[in-house]
Amino acid sequence: MQNKTNRNLSPTGQTNSRLTSLSTGLSDSIITNWAGNIQFTTDKVYFPDTVAEVQELVQKHDKLKVLGSRHCFNRIADSPDYLLSTKRLNKIISLDTQAHTVTVEGGIKYGELAPYLHEHGYALHNLASLPHISVAGSIITATHGSGVGNGNLAVPVQALEMVLADGSISTFSKEKDGDLFNGLVVNLGAVGVITKVTLALEPAYQMQQVVYENLPLAQFTANFQEIVAAGYSVSLFTDWRHNSFTEVWIKSKINNNHNNSVAPAFFGATAATQPLHPIAGVPAENCTEQLGLPGAWYERLPHFKMGFTPSSGVELQSEYFVASHYAVDAIQAIANLGEQISPYLFVSEIRTIAADNLWLSPCYQQPTVAIHFTWKQDWLAVSKLLPLIEKELAPFQARPHWGKLFTMPAEVIATRYEKLDAFKNLALQLDPTGKFRNEYLNQTIF
């Protein structure tokens, strides 16, 4: 264990705090998530600068929850007691050119890490639609991008440094800890504070992005595998108002610096002639470059540019995962709810994710299709729609995204994760008093 510092750490909202407010525009007394639909139930937030400070804070408090970039839409990170933000733990520790790995502090955002990696000739295997999210927050909730061959963002994790409930530092690795490590990576913030992460890398690559408009649903159901495998990463968007996908975003690697040809049609859809936003009618200036223009991997894999706010954030999000062999039937079941869903929806997105062995990953040992909903911020209406969606997806053993909105009860979730009991036992070993657990975790997992 590192030695404690002698600094007088105190949270925001208390007298003589040396720590600043969470971010520009937020008061010390009101803390919200990115979307503004969650107001945290405490104003006491710590912003440690060092791992030693994290240790001191963990030892000091009986209850503590960790904040990442606050992009979750439920109360997974909430606490009535104290919050610890990893915002300032955002450094790149080392780049290992022999092992082809990078070690970073957990609070770094992908949009901050990616340019550094590219400059040094490296890349990550995938990115989420937003580059604004933190590495640690993303991996503990199994955040993902798309691509039939691409696992979620937790898959490249090779090692974790964590501050455990007693304030000690432990390092876990894929090589040393075997299947136990698979239980620790997607941990929902229930086992400790992730201070360092080691990620596997691959050589940097160039990509291009092409968008097609109005893909008939009938073509999708008849040619599902070919469509989702048409690029390195494929996303389909719809508002469920018509029997079609309004947009198909295909992100492809460029080989030998030669652009791939852009076909004018794609399974009945037509190539867009101008950049598009996933939501119809919204300007595309914040979106990553389209129209087949080449660019670095980190400038094409996300849907939105790091330098821009992707939207106002005035939205709600839900997402459900089904095994790929259920995809066509599951999507047709949602399409049948189109008239009920569409008035309250901005857009839905369909993505694919490769199977993995991470215990609480929605893609555990199954190639997966994710059905995502970006809702208008009307929780009363959405709260009534989610049970209908979950009922329609029940035959397909759907798993909800841990960081988004759902109404699925704990007893149902327990049937969808065969390693859930093993994870609970692991969490109880590492945090026997439940220091890092909160109401969300107690109700959903414990």
Side-chain angles (χ1 to χ4, degrees), residues 336-387:
N336 293 339
L337 295 174
E339 289 187 6
Q340 294 164 271
I341 291 173
S342 58
Y344 305 100
L345 188 72
F346 284 121
V347 73
S348 269
E349 181 179 7
I350 308 299
R351 287 178 285 180
T352 57
I353 311 102
D356 60 58
N357 291 310
L358 305 173
W359 293 1
L360 291 193
S361 166
C363 311
Y364 178 73
Q365 296 189 345
Q366 63 177 29
T368 302
V369 169
I371 306 172
H372 185 276
F373 303 87
T374 300
W375 304 101
K376 298 172 184 177
Q377 205 170 83
D378 184 347
W379 173 239
L380 180 62
V382 172
S383 66
K384 295 176 181 177
L385 289 170
L386 294 182

Side-chain angles (χ1 to χ4, degrees), residues 34 213 356:
W34 171 75
E213 297 184 83
D356 60 58

Side-chain angles (χ1 to χ4, degrees), residues 204-246:
Y205 50 90
Q206 294 284 305
M207 301 193 76
Q208 67 183 84
Q209 180 169 230
V210 179
V211 176
Y212 291 89
E213 297 184 83
N214 301 317
L215 177 82
L217 180 60
Q219 287 280 11
F220 176 82
T221 57
N223 303 283
F224 165 71
Q225 291 291 350
E226 291 177 82
I227 289 171
V228 296
Y232 185 78
S233 170
V234 176
S235 294
L236 299 99
F237 295 93
T238 181
D239 56 12
W240 306 109
R241 292 180 184 273
H242 308 285
N243 288 320
S244 65
F245 289 95
T246 52

Side-chain angles (χ1 to χ4, degrees), residues 420-441:
L420 188 60
D421 284 343
F423 173 77
K424 288 162 66 174
N425 290 333
L426 177 59
L428 289 170
Q429 290 175 32
L430 295 176
D431 182 15
T433 65
K435 177 175 291 191
F436 299 112
R437 296 199 290 275
N438 60 6
E439 184 179 1
Y440 170 95
L441 290 173

Side-chain angles (χ1 to χ4, degrees), residues 33-35 37-38 70-74 76-77 137 141 402-404:
N33 65 340
W34 171 75
N37 68 301
I38 295 292
R70 297 177 294 122
H71 276 80
C72 286
F73 289 79
N74 58 32
I76 190 171
T141 53
W402 296 114
K404 301 186 188 294

